[in-house]
Amino acid sequence: MSDGHTHVQEFFGARAADWDSRFPDDGPAYAAAVGRLGLRAGARVLDAGCGTGRALTPLRAAVGPSGVVVGADLTPAMLAAAVRAGRDRAGRLMLADVTALPFRSASLDAVFAAGLIAHLPRPQENLRELARVVRPGGTLALFHPIGRAALAARQGRQLTPEDLRAEPNLRPLLAGSGWCMTSYADEDARFLALAVREALAVREV
């Protein structure tokens, strides 16, 4: 396991037990973001870096009983917290590295990723891996329940021009990874970038 992966596991593992209680009001924002994916009944969707699984219930509601919902996370303690919250009833939980997913190419309809991009060790390569598992025309949601400025203030830091989630950086990053960004919102109450999987931008493996 890389040093980056170990750091992510240590960071989130230490916070898993009280993660939901620290952010108790995020549920409606998650549901609204899932709604923007435009999922249909029977769709196959991955919650990449699912954490405690807060997106799983609205994802299940969107795809219905015939759909497939998988939550993948690198941190066992986060998945355990998802089980304690009963969210394993909404989707299958999987201990997995989102930078090397155990899925066939083009096997999914959508990926939902909350708070993920800041923790990707090689963002362009890792976003390309998300593109690999999504069919052409499928969708990606990069989400956070508060915007960039509000998050920076919470963390006691300043926004910098190098921030990957800034639109001038994110749009070409996605384009170079097999995605076409279709909408971008960075507001106090949410960050949400939506993208569509391009047909020929990523070589299937």
Side-chain angles (χ1 to χ4, degrees):
M1 182 177 294
S2 71
D3 289 343
H5 288 158
T6 300
H7 172 74
V8 167
Q9 284 190 327
E10 291 175 349
F11 179 88
F12 286 105
R15 293 162 174 79
D18 66 346
W19 189 261
D20 285 353
S21 63
R22 294 173 63 198
F23 309 108
D25 302 322
D26 288 348
Y30 272 79
V34 167
R36 293 292 309 279
L37 272 173
L39 295 169
R40 297 181 178 180
R44 300 157 297 173
V45 59
L46 168 68
D47 184 359
C50 67
T52 62
R54 289 178 291 176
L56 296 179
T57 299
L59 287 170
R60 171 57 66 192
V63 304
S66 64
V68 174
V69 177
V70 178
D73 203 274
L74 189 64
T75 305
M78 280 291 196
L79 295 175
V83 172
R84 289 195 299 273
R87 294 173 183 142
D88 56 323
R89 294 191 293 269
R92 176 188 173 195
L93 295 174
M94 174 186 295
L95 182 64
D97 180 357
V98 301
T99 70
L101 289 164
F103 299 116
R104 297 190 310 275
S105 297
S107 61
L108 302 174
D109 297 297
V111 171
F112 184 87
L116 179 69
I117 191 168
H119 300 287
L120 295 177
R122 295 177 297 279
Q124 186 162 75
E125 178 182 331
N126 305 148
L127 288 168
R128 188 175 294 121
E129 172 66 358
L130 295 182
R132 180 187 68 80
V133 301
V134 173
R135 63 170 175 78
T139 51
L140 168 70
L142 299 176
F143 168 71
H144 202 283
I146 60 175
R148 294 190 309 125
L151 181 61
R154 174 189 288 177
Q155 296 174 341
R157 59 177 176 84
Q158 297 290 322
L159 285 178
T160 68
E162 292 78 26
D163 184 355
L164 286 180
R165 296 193 307 160
E167 185 173 9
N169 300 330
L170 186 58
R171 187 177 294 276
L173 176 63
L174 287 167
S177 305
W179 300 98
C180 176
M181 192 162 76
T182 56
S183 70
Y184 180 92
D186 182 18
E187 306 157 352
D188 284 346
R190 68 163 181 168
F191 173 89
L192 181 62
L194 298 175
V196 171
R197 166 70 157 89
E198 296 185 320
L200 300 174
V202 176
R203 180 176 63 87
E204 303 293 357
V205 294

